[in-house]
């Protein structure tokens, strides 16, 4: 097919060219030259349009109709681009041009080249900019898209396809938004699969994905089947869109939507549409962090509402428990612990093993969540026996696991283990003894620091006090920074006698757990004034107090123990 011929000069489009090359203009139309004013040119062009339209309507021969109608299209395009034509007139012009594009369907027609030149001009001139300004431009675009999809066929070469794609892509990407009606005119061509629609969606994926997400939200979540004629094909569309580009179907908003559908209590979507369920599971390994995060959050609801799907989820959660993103690591633990606290039967031994592994994670927040979560499970099922002996035996190992990490290098782990106190095995007993030994040693250092405060100031006293401060700092998280905080705490103790008295009472051998709680709150209250959004100094002092307060054993506990032994 020959696409190399060029269209006639613009002046020739305004009249009929005779055999000797002279142009015969319609009655009342002057020759259009560069010497006439813009207003005169527009007036005469409109008269030419009317003449050609009359010629097209009066002729019954299709070939005779083609010339005037194609000429009208060119002149209309020229008028639309050169004047402030009313919106109604502009709409009529563009709808008329759209109707002319139906001539592209028959590539063997002698007039095909004329219709091709019209398409080419529309794609190159970017006349759509004018259409965007019309209030009802969406009607024009829908009609245009339907026409272009209806005429394209296997006989068209790449040039035609390229211009079609350029024109439609430009409308999608440059417009304010893609309406549901316009989206429908594209998606309907995926059922059955249509290459032009696929390529168009691939080109405009960044612009159109939000509109697609909104479509599925309307149909699947809100149940508005009347939103589009495509509602009955929704699952076929999901499969087609996933095949084109997973990100068309799985931006985080769509993942969130499908997660609700699969995870809701009465949903049987996973069993009804296995292929969609498998597509969704693959998103656990999506390259985008927000998508992986949404899938992990969904797993908790799925485990609680659909225990039969636990086998499908297990392998994907295992991979995500080693995810490079800390937030996803953390949420895997939260997901499994949440489900296990609802019912331990929802979490199999393999899933519980993922939590146990994360107690040794490189990231502190992940270790903390794993250890705290396991302690909560042990308290619920072993200490309180809420699910019977068989369930308690299933998690009996938890009582030993947290204390096994007491010898880790991180002070954060040490502090956490001291909070998580439970029944112990022989190895854990050794760790507990070491824990009490360390606490007692730190208690002694604080006791000696207070004694130094009571002595007269001297060089020897200052040196001894500095040594105590450094020793105390080594027992706190981030010892380097902790040195500055303990120095500040020493200064506050020297200036505030009441604060010193509270600390004296706290480290007294006769201080009970109840008294210790009151003292800690009093000290924290004084150090928290004036109130700040973040107070690192207060946090470090709290760490120190937590390690020296009598939480496990106090004087009252020892008295009770002696009485029991004497009975």
């Amino acid at each position: 097919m020959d696409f190399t011929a060029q269209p006639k000069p613009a002046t020739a489009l305004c009249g009929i060219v005779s055999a000797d090359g002279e142009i015969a203009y319609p009655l009342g139309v002057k020759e259009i030259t560069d010497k006439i004013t813009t207003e005169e040119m527009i007036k005469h062009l409109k008269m030419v349009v009317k003449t050609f339209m009359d010629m097209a309507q009066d002729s019954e021969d299709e070939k005779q109709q083609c010339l005037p109608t194609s000429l009208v299209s060119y002149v209309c395009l020229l008028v639309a681009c050169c004047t402030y034509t009313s919106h109604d007139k502009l709409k009529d012009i563009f709808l008329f041009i759209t109707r002319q594009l139906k001539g592209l369907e028959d590539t063997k027609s002698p007039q095909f080249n004329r219709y091709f030149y019209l398409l080419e001009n529309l794609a190159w001139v970017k006349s759509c900019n004018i259409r965007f300004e019309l209030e009802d431009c969406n009607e024009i675009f829908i009609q245009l898209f339907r026409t272009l999809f209806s005429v394209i066929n296997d006989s068209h070469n790449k040039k035609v396809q390229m211009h079609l794609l350029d024109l439609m892509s430009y409308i999608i990407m440059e417009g304010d938004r893609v309406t549901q009606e316009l989206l429908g005119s594209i998606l309907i061509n995926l059922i059955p699969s249509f290459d032009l629609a696929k390529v168009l969606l691939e080109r405009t994926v960044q612009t159109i994905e939000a509109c697609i997400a909104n479509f599925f939200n309307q149909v699947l979540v809100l149940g508005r089947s009347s939103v589009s004629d495509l509602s009955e094909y929704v699952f076929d569309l999901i499969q087609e869109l996933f095949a084109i580009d997973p990100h068309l179907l799985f931006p985080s908003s769509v993942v969130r939507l499908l997660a609700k559908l699969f995870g809701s209590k009465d949903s049987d979507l996973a069993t009804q549409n296995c292929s969609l369920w498998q597509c969704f599971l693959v998103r656990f390994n999506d390259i985008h962090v927000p998508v992986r995060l949404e899938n992990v959050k969904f797993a908790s609801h799925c485990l609680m509402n659909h225990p039969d799907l636990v086998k499908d989820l297990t392998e994907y959660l295992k991979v995500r428990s080693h995810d490079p993103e800390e937030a996803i690591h953390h949420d895997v633990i939260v997901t499994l612990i949440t489900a296990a606290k609802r019912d331990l039967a929802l979490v199999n031994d393999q899933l519980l093993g993922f939590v146990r592994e994360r107690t040794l994670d490189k990231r502190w927040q992940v270790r903390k969540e794993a250890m705290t979560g396991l302690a909560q499970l042990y308290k619920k099922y072993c200490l309180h026996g809420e699910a019977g002996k068989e369930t308690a035996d299933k998690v009996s190992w938890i009582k030993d696991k947290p204390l096994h990490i007491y010898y880790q290098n991180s002070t954060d782990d040490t502090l956490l283990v001291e909070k998580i106190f439970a029944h112990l095995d022989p190895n854990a007993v050794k760790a507990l003894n070491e824990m009490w030994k360390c606490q007692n040693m730190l208690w002694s250092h604080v006791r000696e620091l207070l004694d130094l405060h009571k002595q007269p100031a001297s060089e020897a006293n200052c040196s001894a006090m500095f040594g105590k401060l450094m020793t105390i700092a080594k027992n706190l998280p981030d010892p380097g920074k902790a040195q500055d905080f303990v120095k500040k705490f020493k200064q506050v103790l020297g200036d505030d006698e009441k604060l010193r008295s509270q600390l004296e009472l706290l480290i007294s051998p006769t201080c009970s757990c109840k008294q210790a709680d009151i003292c800690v709150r009093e000290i924290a209250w004084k150090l928290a004034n004036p109130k700040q959004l973040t107070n690192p100094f207060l946090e470090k002092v709290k760490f120190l107090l937590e390690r020296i307060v009598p939480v496990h054993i106090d004087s009252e506990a020892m008295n009770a123990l002696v009485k029991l032994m004497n009975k």
Side-chain angles (χ1 to χ4, degrees), residues 330-378:
H330 180 273
D331 276 21
V332 169
I333 303 303
V334 172
T335 290
L336 297 177
I337 293 297
T338 301
K341 284 181 358 184
R342 171 73 70 85
D343 184 350
L344 194 61
L346 299 175
V347 181
N348 58 35
D349 290 341
Q350 191 175 359
L351 290 175
L352 211 54
F354 300 159
V355 181
R356 177 164 48 189
E357 290 175 4
R358 292 308 98 206
T359 60
L360 299 176
D361 196 279
K362 293 179 180 179
R363 300 166 178 85
W364 155 242
Q365 290 298 334
V366 177
R367 295 199 305 274
K368 179 182 178 183
E369 193 65 47
M371 289 190 287
T372 305
L374 289 175
Q376 292 170 348
L377 294 182
Y378 184 80

Side-chain angles (χ1 to χ4, degrees), residues 434-448 468 471-472 475 548:
E434 183 67 21
M435 179 179 72
W436 283 339
K437 178 181 176 182
C438 292
Q439 287 180 324
N440 185 63
M441 182 176 64
L442 185 57
W443 177 89
S444 300
H445 290 314
V446 175
R447 171 80 266 175
E448 291 168 6
K468 287 297 173 189
T471 302
I472 292 171
N475 289 273
I548 63 174

Side-chain angles (χ1 to χ4, degrees), residues 504-539:
E504 286 272 7
L505 178 59
L506 181 64
I507 62 175
S508 169
T510 60
C511 182
S512 66
C513 293
K514 185 176 181 180
Q515 286 176 319
D517 182 56
I518 296 172
C519 289
V520 169
R521 279 188 289 170
E522 286 286 337
I523 294 172
W525 181 82
K526 288 186 72 66
L527 296 179
N529 288 312
K531 291 186 177 180
Q532 304 174 34
L533 187 61
T534 57
N535 193 336
F537 171 59
L538 176 60
E539 293 302 316

Side-chain angles (χ1 to χ4, degrees), residues 426-486:
N427 291 329
V429 169
K430 293 179 181 179
L432 180 61
N433 287 331
E434 183 67 21
M435 179 179 72
W436 283 339
K437 178 181 176 182
C438 292
Q439 287 180 324
N440 185 63
M441 182 176 64
L442 185 57
W443 177 89
S444 300
H445 290 314
V446 175
R447 171 80 266 175
E448 291 168 6
L449 179 64
L450 282 174
D451 290 340
L452 289 171
H453 267 284
K454 297 175 184 178
Q455 298 176 11
S458 66
E459 186 176 340
N461 181 275
C462 288
S463 178
M465 193 173 291
F466 179 79
K468 287 297 173 189
L469 292 175
M470 296 301 101
T471 302
I472 292 171
K474 289 179 182 178
N475 289 273
L476 297 176
D478 196 352
K481 291 182 179 179
Q483 291 179 14
D484 296 330
F485 291 118
V486 293

